[in-house]
Amino acid sequence: SRLRLPVVAAPMFLASGPELVIETCKAGVVGSFPALNQRSSEGLEAWLIEIQSALADFERSSGREAAPFAVNLIVHGSNPRLEADLALCVKYQVPIVITSLGAAAQVIDAVHSYGGLVFHDVINARHARKAAAAGVDGLIAVAAGAGGHAGSTSPFALVAEIRQFFDKTLLLAGAMSSGSDVAAAQMMGADLAYMGTRF
């Protein structure tokens, strides 16, 4: 695995940009950012080029593989840039696309067309079942204590419920900031910890 730690640096409003993504990926943690942190699709394209070239340089000079990076797309009618931003993710073959507020088959198909993965945010088992049925590669269980579009369910309950019907990659979000938190998430049945504030 290209990960040194089973951790994703979660996409944070305003805070996550190319610098953070590049450094987390170099350190062996999945780096991510919300597409809408860039004010335009043209700006997003510039960020994708910057991230990919910096990680390629790192791999050449260090002889080590960087962790993959992820772009967070809001899959909802309120996001007028979805189509343009998704086209850029396809053009630059973004390794992981994190979808929020909608698990849409056309987004999943587009990312799968080049071998990318789709991880989808869910706050309850009902949303998790819908996303699983849509064909996502991973679910992000956004439990109590998580930032963003946070859920209110205990991580113990949410992970256990999702694991009853989902055997692909499961990520857990919600007030985690230490190595022992990551270990606890894995003991509960999650594959990866999804951490924002720590970064």
Side-chain angles (χ1 to χ4, degrees):
S1 161
R2 292 155 61 187
L3 300 188
R4 286 180 60 204
L5 291 170
V7 170
V8 174
M12 294 174 283
F13 179 60
L14 300 181
S16 303
E19 299 85 357
L20 182 58
V21 170
I22 290 162
E23 292 308 317
T24 49
C25 291
K26 281 161 60 172
V29 165
V30 176
S32 72
F33 69 94
L36 297 177
N37 272 5
Q38 218 340 314
R39 300 186 65 148
S40 67
S41 294
E42 294 73 28
L44 172 61
E45 183 164 26
W47 274 13
L48 292 173
I49 292 167
E50 180 184 348
I51 290 165
Q52 289 191 329
S53 60
L55 294 179
D57 289 347
F58 165 77
E59 290 184 341
R60 265 196 307 278
S61 62
S62 71
R64 296 208 329 259
E65 273 196 303
F69 73 96
V71 173
N72 179 208
L73 296 179
I74 303 298
V75 183
H76 188 265
S78 64
N79 178 12
R81 276 177 40 195
L82 176 61
E83 207 168 304
D85 290 355
L86 176 60
L88 289 169
C89 289
V90 172
K91 178 179 177 181
Y92 291 95
Q93 301 197 353
V94 170
I96 302 167
V97 173
I98 296 166
T99 53
S100 302
L101 304 180
Q106 71 267 26
V107 174
I108 296 165
D109 291 346
V111 177
H112 284 171
S113 73
Y114 62 84
L117 300 174
V118 177
F119 292 169
H120 185 67
D121 278 348
V122 296
I123 60 167
N124 59 41
R126 186 173 63 84
H127 292 164
R129 283 183 191 280
K130 282 174 71 171
V136 299
D137 303 287
L139 292 172
I140 302 159
V142 185
H149 305 282
S152 55
T153 306
S154 154
F156 290 95
L158 191 55
V159 168
E161 259 190 305
I162 292 171
R163 272 296 179 225
Q164 288 173 17
F165 60 86
F166 190 73
D167 61 3
K168 296 182 187 173
T169 305
L170 180 58
L171 300 85
L172 178 61
M176 287 182 289
S177 65
S178 68
S180 54
D181 295 340
V182 175
Q186 290 194 301
M187 289 295 291
M188 271 191 264
D191 298 296
L192 299 168
Y194 200 71
M195 302 164 92
T197 305
R198 168 53 68 197
F199 294 97

